[in-house]
């Protein structure tokens, strides 16, 4: 089996951290690089947190590149409080041992995609700023991307940051619109599906009781975060790479509202031919998951960390 080559662009973030750990524990996936972006916490913190998670998993070999410290159009002071003061649930995870690798995330994305045409899957788990700027700086990379599987948006359900917008798209709607119209194959894990990845107390207790120190640290993060957000959003993206049969969805043409102050960051998913105006679908919008099978997979992979 040749592992799938991925770059994870993220803003850790507890659920980002669990997504990273799931990828590290899965031989079907090779994480070629991690790129970081502002989101749940400021960029310096998301970057340090990516390193802390790699250190926890003994994966100091994976290069981490810091990216954009603000969204494209408007700076934001909107962090997410659900991830704790340090962004990883304040469980006392050791601080990052070293700085990120040199090279801005945007340039690294461009270089790596050009070096491996059709090979690399991008997994954005935070605001889409780095991916969008890479596409703006180097439009030739769009057809080189194998697939973009991202967490963000809310096609048929309310937002979690405003009534209309999910957090990652609320932070940088313009970036999302650039990515959604770039022409690369897209799979969207919005709140439609990730709100169904509900964390159960008995699942946490089971994993915590049976497993080693890394698994216990993962559960400690989830436990802290789970008091404020009940769902594991970002790991769904990685789980989809491992077993797409866990999920179902619909093909749609997805656009992002960038103007209206009331609905900025809203994803508009046109499913029917009529709503698409005869234009093709651009994105697979995931809407459903097999909950118990997903959490069995998560438990099994988290156990492999130790
Ligand atoms: C998204 O927002 C962040 O808080 C999570 O990490 C996830 O990527 C969910 O709306
Ligand atoms: Ca995230």
């Amino acid at each position: 089996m040749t592992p799938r080559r991925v770059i994870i662009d993220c803003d850790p973030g507890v659920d980002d951290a669990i997504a990273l750990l799931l990828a590290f524990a899965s031989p079907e996936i090779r994480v070629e690089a991690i790129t970081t972006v502002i989101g749940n916490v400021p960029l310096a913190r998301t970057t340090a947190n990516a390193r802390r998670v790699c250190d926890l998993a003994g994966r100091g070999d994976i290069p981490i590149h810091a990216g954009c410290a603000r969204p494209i159009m408007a700076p934001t002071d909107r962090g997410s409080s659900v991830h704790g003061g340090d962004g990883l649930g304040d469980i006392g995870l050791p601080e990052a041992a070293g700085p990120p690798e040199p090279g801005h995330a945007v340039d690294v994305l461009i270089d790596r995609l050009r070096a491996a045409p059709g090979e690399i899957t991008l997994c954005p788990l935070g605001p889409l700023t780095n991916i969008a700027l890479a596409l703006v700086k180097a439009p030739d990379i769009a057809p080189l991307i194998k697939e973009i599987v991202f967490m963000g948006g809310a096609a048929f359900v309310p937002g979690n940051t405003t009534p209309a917008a999910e957090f990652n798209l609320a932070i940088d709607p313009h970036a999302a619109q650039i990515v959604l119209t770039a022409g690369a194959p897209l799979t969207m894990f919005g709140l439609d599906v990730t709100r169904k990845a509900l964390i159960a107390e008995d699942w946490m207790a089971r994993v915590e009781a049976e497993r080693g120190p890394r698994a216990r640290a993962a559960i400690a993060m989830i436990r802290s975060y789970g008091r404020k957000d009940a769902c594991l959003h970002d790991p769904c993206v990685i789980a989809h790479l491992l077993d797409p049969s866990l999920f179902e969805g619909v093909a749609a043409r997805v656009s992002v509202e960038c103007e209206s102050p009331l609905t900025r960051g809203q994803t508009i998913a046109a499913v029917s031919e009529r709503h698409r105006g005869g234009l093709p679908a651009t994105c697979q919008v995931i809407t459903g998951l097999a909950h118990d099978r997903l959490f069995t997979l998560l438990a099994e992979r988290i156990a492999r960390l130790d």
Side-chain angles (χ1 to χ4, degrees):
M1 177 199 56
T2 312
R4 185 159 174 162
R5 301 172 66 179
V6 308
I7 297 177
I8 300 181
D9 184 80
C10 56
D11 62 333
V14 169
D15 61 330
D16 303 75
I18 304 304
L20 289 170
L21 293 174
L22 175 60
F24 298 161
S26 300
E28 301 93 330
I29 291 175
R30 187 161 94 215
V31 182
E32 306 238 328
I34 296 170
T35 51
T36 57
V37 65
I38 185 184
N40 289 313
V41 280
L43 178 71
R45 196 72 241 150
T46 62
T47 307
N49 285 352
R51 174 66 71 213
R52 294 164 86 197
V53 176
C54 287
D55 290 347
L56 171 66
R59 294 304 307 270
D61 57 305
I62 298 176
I64 297 169
H65 299 273
C68 296
R70 52 157 280 183
I72 292 175
M73 291 298 285
T76 179
D77 55 7
R78 200 203 288 271
S80 173
S81 58
V82 302
H83 302 267
D86 76 343
L88 292 180
D90 298 321
I91 65 158
L93 217 54
E95 263 315 323
E101 268 63 39
H104 192 280
V106 169
D107 297 315
V108 168
L109 285 163
I110 293 168
D111 292 347
R112 284 185 176 264
L113 287 163
R114 282 181 177 160
E119 289 282 314
I120 293 183
T121 298
L122 300 181
C123 297
L125 308 177
L128 286 154
T129 320
N130 290 334
I131 315 294
L133 288 185
L135 287 161
V136 169
K137 186 172 181 186
D140 61 288
I141 63 171
L144 309 181
I145 301 169
K146 182 179 169 74
E147 191 182 356
I148 301 177
V149 186
F150 70 100
M151 193 284 137
F156 311 113
V157 297
N160 59 359
T161 298
T162 70
E166 179 278 332
F167 180 79
N168 292 335
L169 267 70
I171 297 275
D172 200 338
H174 301 86
Q177 176 65 358
I178 290 167
V179 172
L180 280 159
T181 52
L186 289 163
T187 302
M188 168 174 151
F189 277 80
L191 298 177
D192 308 272
V193 60
T194 66
R195 273 218 179 97
K196 296 175 183 166
L198 283 167
I199 306 159
E201 173 54 43
D202 64 339
W203 176 81
M204 287 190 288
R206 188 155 37 89
V207 180
E208 200 168 39
E210 287 172 17
R211 312 301 183 194
R214 288 174 176 160
R216 281 205 303 277
I219 297 298
M221 282 190 269
I222 297 173
R223 194 176 283 290
S224 155
Y225 158 90
R227 285 190 271 271
K228 297 157 216 134
D229 190 343
C231 330
L232 283 181
H233 305 278
D234 295 340
C236 292
V237 166
I238 306 300
H240 182 257
L241 304 188
L242 299 173
D243 184 357
S245 79
L246 293 170
F247 302 98
E248 62 185 11
V250 292
R253 193 173 180 86
V254 182
S255 315
V256 184
E257 172 59 55
C258 292
E259 301 307 327
S260 155
L262 271 182
T263 56
R264 194 174 291 138
Q266 182 173 26
T267 37
I268 317 296
V271 177
S272 68
E273 191 159 341
R274 181 168 172 215
H275 284 165
R276 286 189 272 111
L279 295 168
T282 50
C283 182
Q284 187 69 8
V285 177
I286 305 297
T287 53
L289 56 74
H291 181 276
D292 292 356
R293 285 176 55 216
L294 171 64
F295 278 80
T296 299
L297 175 74
L298 278 170
E300 186 238 313
R301 297 301 165 107
I302 288 173
R304 291 189 193 174
L305 292 166
D306 289 293

